[in-house]
Amino acid sequence: MMRIAPSPSLAPLTTLRIGGSALAEIRLDAPADFDRLPDALARIGGEPRVLGGGSNLLIAEGELPLVLVRSLCGAGQEPVILGESADKAGQTRVIIRAGAGLRMPALLAWCAGHGLSGLEGLIGVPGRVGGAVAMNAGAYGDTVGGRLTGLTVFTPERGVRRLSSGEWSASYRHFALSAPCAWFAVLEAELSLTVSTPDRVRAAMGERLTRKRAAQPVTMHTAGCVFKNPGNLSAGRLLDEAGLRGARRGPVYLSGLHANFLVHDIRPDRADTKGSFAAAAELLAEARETVARRTGINLDMEVKVWPCPLF
Ligand code: EPU
């Protein structure tokens, strides 16, 4: 079903809990719903923006002329096993199909239960499958792009299409379709996983999670790492060495645990978080400038900023 809601509040739709409102939210539950999307977009106007789990987003406050496209295909539905094959090394590979709306923690739990290996490093990564594909999410050596064998997408130019390997490119925290398009929404992803056992997959996930909890502020309101790592260097270490760990602007600060995490300090006694975006933008500009002055390196944002990039 396609459902349209006017003036959605954006902050609750993001893990950072910052942002104003959009013109409308269009929720689509199944690939067939996308047939009606072009008409709905033409009727509402504004600029379409695809929003998944909102875990890599910093959004400006105020009334933004944006229309949210929520591709929630397969939300709450278990992935489907499509088939098995042996790879060159003789290992059994299982191809699964997961909907864009499925939450990453649910996908990881399903992989553990089925003893399917390949995504363990993504344990603790929030968001949904669609966003994880579109950002090529990765951690501890595992990336979503590295497992992708097929993809169903919507583009305004070509509507709903199934793509095969070679029709997209994935690199470090970057994902693009090969055919030019104004924007795209992921509907379903096919992933190739390796057969293991539930115990082994769970143990690997547990080990990564322990490392993650020790190094990252996993319980706070953040959008993950805010800057990309430049080459082989760690943006977190560069920020830390520049004295920015813990740097604060009003309700936002760079984590004391890991300087590359922008934390939104939401306190129950401080309901009014207005000004958080301005504070975040100021803090990130200062952090980027300080690192550039010290090292000559201009950090690039990993987190997406709406309605337009900061740098
Ligand atoms: N470090 C510091 N100070 C800090 C932060 C880190 O000295 O404030 C040092 C660490 O001690 C370590 C090195 O920098 O020696 C690297 O740190 P870490 O292992 O935490 O990895 P990272 O490069 O900072 C990347 C990804 C994370 C991913 C982890 C694990 C990016 C920008 N970050 O972090 O991804 O979870 O590796 O694979 O690529 C994300 O993309 O949102 C994200 C959190």
Side-chain angles (χ1 to χ4, degrees), residues 2-10 13 22-28 37 44 49 51-52 66-72:
M2 185 177 87
R3 284 159 294 168
I4 302 178
S7 306
S9 294
L10 295 165
L13 300 175
L23 290 175
E25 177 185 14
I26 307 179
R27 296 169 69 94
L28 304 115
L37 181 60
I44 298 166
R49 293 289 173 101
L51 177 74
L66 307 178
V67 179
L68 306 182
V69 175
R70 312 285 320 274
S71 173
L72 297 167

Side-chain angles (χ1 to χ4, degrees), residues 55-56 121 125 137-141 172-173 211-212 215-216 223-229 233-241 245 255-261 302-303:
S55 58
N56 200 43
V125 170
Y140 303 109
Y172 167 66
R173 302 295 191 271
R211 276 159 69 187
K212 196 181 176 84
Q216 302 181 4
C225 282
V226 71
F227 292 108
K228 290 185 184 181
N229 283 346
L233 299 173
S234 160
R237 177 175 287 178
L238 293 174
L239 291 159
D240 191 3
E241 286 171 354
R245 192 200 280 232
S255 169
L257 199 54
H258 194 301
N260 200 16
F261 279 74
E302 178 188 313
V303 163

